[in-house]
Amino acid sequence: MKSLQHLIDRNRAWAEAVNRRDPDFFERLAQQQSPQYLWIGCSDSRVPANEIVGLPPGELFVHRNVANVVVHTDLNCLTVMQFAVDVLKVRHIIVCGHYGCSGVRAALAGEKIGLSDNWLRHVQDVRERHSAALAAIDGAVPRASRLCEFNVIEQVTHVCQTSIVREAWDRGQPLAIHGWIYGLDNGLVRDLEYTVSAGGEVGSRYAAALDNLTAAR
Ligand code: CO
């Protein structure tokens, strides 16, 4: 088996470059992390969380999965959220989807992939919830883009509904949930204007975010 020496070499070069800029960087970071943000995004290799928002190591706690789905029984995602909220006390949770998401496209088309069909079933639930709005859109690409947006909005709601976030809000911990979407073709994040910082806001902010989406295009 060929070794991945080229990646090890790149790592050496990167660590040296960081050291040249800031000789104490790694030592300082090794003591503790205190990120302000939890990023929940898609696993897609074109959507690298830290790079997109220009944050160095230590600033962003990250969970990624196919199609940035938040499922109430996903122990992996819940553990990341609980650690981020209860231990690290992040101030913001960002759910960032992206246009051109293969997982969302497969869910929209009902493509058979294999085991992943079960995971993407959650995105199909989003598709069914918004089937009338999606049917009114002409063209496969704009329809898929809208489902990417709807998916972010639904996943933000799921984050808000977790016991982790509800309990944080109940004890007065400052925590805001945000819905963003990233453009592969221009490198830009768009705020879907669904930001929730208290349990009582979810319903009205959800409705406003959906209105905003349909008014925008
Ligand atoms: Co994706």
Side-chain angles (χ1 to χ4, degrees):
M1 174 106 61
K2 264 187 141 176
S3 84
L4 294 175
Q5 192 54 46
H6 57 296
L7 295 184
I8 305 289
D9 292 344
R10 279 170 166 273
N11 165 257
R12 293 280 186 280
W14 170 75
E16 278 165 24
V18 172
N19 263 322
R20 271 196 301 276
R21 269 199 314 275
D22 182 353
D24 302 326
F25 181 81
F26 290 114
E27 218 169 293
R28 222 171 40 240
L29 212 56
Q31 305 303 316
Q32 61 161 9
Q33 62 166 341
S34 52
Q36 298 267 307
Y37 316 96
L38 165 61
W39 174 282
I40 299 176
C42 184
S43 299
D44 195 303
S45 65
R46 299 165 294 181
V47 194
N50 284 69
E51 271 183 85
I52 286 173
V53 286
L55 287 178
E59 305 284 330
L60 197 64
F61 206 64
V62 173
H63 176 78
R64 290 168 68 182
N65 62 42
V66 171
N68 42 271
V69 176
V70 176
V71 181
H72 294 303
T73 51
D74 177 5
L75 193 58
N76 183 353
C77 182
L78 292 176
T79 300
V80 171
M81 280 182 54
Q82 200 238 322
F83 193 79
V85 171
D86 291 354
V87 180
L88 298 172
K89 307 234 172 347
V90 298
R91 296 295 187 106
H92 302 272
I93 299 177
I94 300 156
V95 177
C96 187
H98 68 103
Y99 294 113
C101 182
S102 323
V104 169
R105 201 166 46 224
L108 182 62
E111 281 169 33
K112 292 258 178 291
I113 299 175
L115 178 69
S116 321
D117 299 345
N118 299 287
W119 181 252
L120 293 175
R121 179 64 233 180
H122 295 293
V123 183
Q124 290 192 321
D125 291 345
V126 176
R127 178 192 73 182
E128 272 157 38
R129 182 168 194 158
H130 299 282
S131 57
L134 289 167
I137 296 172
D138 264 343
V141 174
R143 201 176 302 125
S145 294
R146 180 52 50 84
L147 183 54
C148 291
E149 296 164 346
F150 281 142
N151 187 46
V152 169
I153 287 174
E154 296 301 330
Q155 306 314 326
V156 166
T157 303
H158 292 168
V159 172
C160 296
Q161 290 164 337
T162 59
S163 58
I164 300 154
V165 169
R166 282 187 290 118
E167 283 165 18
W169 282 336
D170 284 349
R171 60 179 180 260
Q173 186 175 329
L175 180 63
I177 322 302
H178 309 257
W180 289 2
I181 191 154
Y182 174 78
L184 295 177
D185 57 353
N186 61 9
L188 296 176
V189 161
R190 178 178 158 213
D191 185 347
L192 290 176
E193 291 174 45
Y194 183 24
T195 302
V196 188
S197 39
E201 296 175 359
V202 180
S204 61
R205 295 278 156 90
Y206 174 84
L210 290 181
D211 284 349
N212 194 43
L213 264 192
T214 40
R217 223 186 274 157

